[in-house]
Amino acid sequence: MQLNISGHHLDITDPIKDYVTTKLSKLERHHDGITSTNVILSVDKLIQKAEATVHVSGGEFFADSEHEDLYAAIDMLTDKLDRQLIKHKEKNRGR
């Protein structure tokens, strides 16, 4: 899986990059057709925002989350993407 992490009004440090990488690598256990993932982390005053677009074979998924803590926003983001990937996989299994 190719992973692109960018920051908007935020410097991407190594701990943040490692955290995003470990969290998003867990998505591969639910869907093995993930080709690439684009993650945008941003700060707007006191709100930390995380957005991601996951490209899979047969479609793409988008999720975003906002929280006061960046790490919590990343956790919420991965939970949303995880649910979307599981739902997509179950839909395709029925075909």
Side-chain angles (χ1 to χ4, degrees):
M1 172 174 73
Q2 181 184 2
L3 182 63
N4 297 326
I5 304 172
S6 60
H8 187 69
H9 300 294
L10 173 74
D11 292 329
I12 304 298
T13 60
D14 287 336
I16 292 173
K17 187 174 183 177
D18 292 340
Y19 190 76
V20 171
T21 304
T22 55
K23 283 294 188 176
L24 291 180
S25 66
K26 294 179 183 177
L27 296 177
E28 289 183 316
R29 67 180 168 195
H30 292 295
H31 201 291
D32 55 353
I34 298 175
T35 55
S36 67
T37 305
N38 297 323
V39 180
I40 300 172
L41 305 173
S42 61
V43 176
D44 187 33
K45 296 189 180 180
L46 298 176
I47 301 296
Q48 313 288 329
K49 192 173 186 181
E51 301 175 353
T53 305
V54 177
H55 300 277
V56 297
S57 54
E60 68 179 31
F61 301 99
F62 175 79
D64 63 342
S65 63
E66 294 180 352
H67 199 272
E68 295 172 355
D69 181 27
L70 182 62
Y71 292 99
I74 294 168
D75 289 341
M76 291 179 358
L77 175 73
T78 55
D79 290 341
K80 288 180 181 180
L81 288 171
D82 201 26
R83 285 193 301 267
Q84 287 181 15
L85 287 172
I86 290 171
K87 187 174 179 180
H88 176 70
K89 190 173 182 179
E90 289 175 355
K91 269 187 185 177
N92 285 343
R93 188 177 297 156
R95 291 182 181 171

